Amino acid sequence: MAQVSADGSPLRRDGRRSDESRNLRLTAGIAPHADGSVLIATGNTQVICAATFEQTVPKWMKDQRVSGGWLTAEYAMLPYSTLTRKPRDATKGKLDGRSVEIQRLIGRALRAVVDLETLGERTLWVDCDVLQADGGTRTAAITGATLAVVLACFKLRRQATLQGWPIRSLVAATSVGLAQGLALVDLDYEEDRAAEVDLNLVMTSRHELVEVQGAGEEATFTAGQLSHMLALGQDAVHDLIEKQRAFLHAHDPALGELPFTNGPG
């Protein structure tokens, strides 16, 4: 007989409730040569997120006389991150479509909460490298990259090289899926593979949506099911953002004085 929670709903194979995220672990300074870095682990998924400033902007910004700075992201799965070795994109001569899609998502999520004008004439590179993949690598990358960007900007703030504070709010992401009609939060690989519907939700600490990606896998879903998945995802993201805040405060109490730690704006 399947295990059930206190309310009678079935427990997942790892003992979680349907609305329960995996255990989150955050480690700062994993890449000491970056301006800010975090190792994020959610369950068995592990991603190194590093943010590094470059004192220039892309050529297109100069050509079009666009003021301010730029933020861009790169995403890669290391060869040993999956059950069978995944060849590096460099050996194939090009990025695969999935990597391109994910790194663009990470960049969009971060640019939604970073004031590029305040960055000044510099580029912030965000590198997300998957050490171990067990589902949710793109959502973990967004959640961890946000913290790496905060730490990088905080470093420049302490060096008095930023004109102001560029980060308007925190941003985090989670996955939700439908498996046999049951909505599940933060799917691992086996759950994701079996899900009939996949949804990724990106939100800010101001309770604003940045992006919603949802699709049926040879299946359909109703507006009611979508609303339920969104509600579960929002609760999960709010919890992630509270953990981001706690992590930043523990890293340096001075981070608790910055605007994004004050809750919804």
Side-chain angles (χ1 to χ4, degrees), residues 20 40 63 196 200 222 224:
E20 187 176 358
I40 180 170
D63 291 345
E196 298 104 34
N200 295 303
T222 67

Side-chain angles (χ1 to χ4, degrees), residues 32-92:
H33 295 303
D35 291 306
S37 63
V38 169
L39 170 63
I40 180 170
T42 173
N44 291 325
T45 289
Q46 299 183 55
V47 186
I48 291 179
C49 305
T52 308
F53 279 105
E54 184 179 15
Q55 301 303 313
T56 186
V57 294
K59 184 176 183 297
W60 65 264
M61 291 186 68
K62 296 178 180 178
D63 291 345
Q64 299 176 31
R65 298 182 181 180
V66 177
S67 62
W70 186 243
L71 183 153
T72 190
E74 293 189 2
Y75 166 96
M77 296 181 68
L78 297 179
Y80 48 81
S81 63
T82 53
L83 291 174
T84 57
R85 186 181 186 278
K86 183 183 185 301
R88 297 180 191 273
D89 288 329
T91 64
K92 297 179 290 185

Side-chain angles (χ1 to χ4, degrees), residues 111-131:
R111 288 192 296 271
V113 296
V114 174
D115 183 348
L116 299 177
E117 193 70 36
T118 305
L119 284 184
E121 195 170 318
R122 50 173 66 91
T123 297
L124 182 51
W125 289 92
V126 180
D127 294 291
C128 299
D129 295 301
V130 179
L131 290 177

Side-chain angles (χ1 to χ4, degrees), residues 40-213:
I40 180 170
T42 173
N44 291 325
T45 289
Q46 299 183 55
V47 186
I48 291 179
C49 305
T52 308
F53 279 105
E54 184 179 15
Q55 301 303 313
T56 186
V57 294
K59 184 176 183 297
W60 65 264
M61 291 186 68
K62 296 178 180 178
D63 291 345
Q64 299 176 31
R65 298 182 181 180
V66 177
S67 62
W70 186 243
L71 183 153
T72 190
E74 293 189 2
Y75 166 96
M77 296 181 68
L78 297 179
Y80 48 81
S81 63
T82 53
L83 291 174
T84 57
R85 186 181 186 278
K86 183 183 185 301
R88 297 180 191 273
D89 288 329
T91 64
K92 297 179 290 185
K94 64 177 182 178
L95 288 175
D96 64 39
R98 178 180 176 275
S99 296
V100 172
E101 175 205 351
I102 292 175
Q103 64 188 35
R104 287 177 177 172
L105 171 64
I106 297 167
R108 288 195 301 271
L110 294 170
R111 288 192 296 271
V113 296
V114 174
D115 183 348
L116 299 177
E117 193 70 36
T118 305
L119 284 184
E121 195 170 318
R122 50 173 66 91
T123 297
L124 182 51
W125 289 92
V126 180
D127 294 291
C128 299
D129 295 301
V130 179
L131 290 177
Q132 186 169 332
D134 186 28
T137 61
R138 75 184 66 196
T139 55
I142 290 169
T143 304
T146 300
L147 296 172
V149 167
V150 170
L151 295 179
C153 291
F154 189 59
K155 177 181 177 181
L156 261 64
R157 179 187 174 96
R158 285 200 149 171
Q159 294 172 347
T161 57
L162 281 177
Q163 296 300 313
W165 181 243
I167 302 173
R168 295 186 288 261
S169 65
L170 297 173
V171 63
T174 195
S175 63
V176 190
L178 284 179
Q180 297 182 335
L182 182 65
L184 305 175
V185 168
D186 190 18
L187 285 72
D188 63 22
Y189 173 74
E190 290 298 330
E191 291 173 332
D192 182 66
R193 189 171 64 167
E196 298 104 34
V197 177
D198 289 324
L199 184 146
N200 295 303
L201 179 67
V202 186
M203 290 185 64
T204 75
S205 55
R206 296 176 179 268
H207 300 183
E208 298 163 335
L209 293 168
V210 177
E211 190 150 343
V212 178
Q213 299 180 332

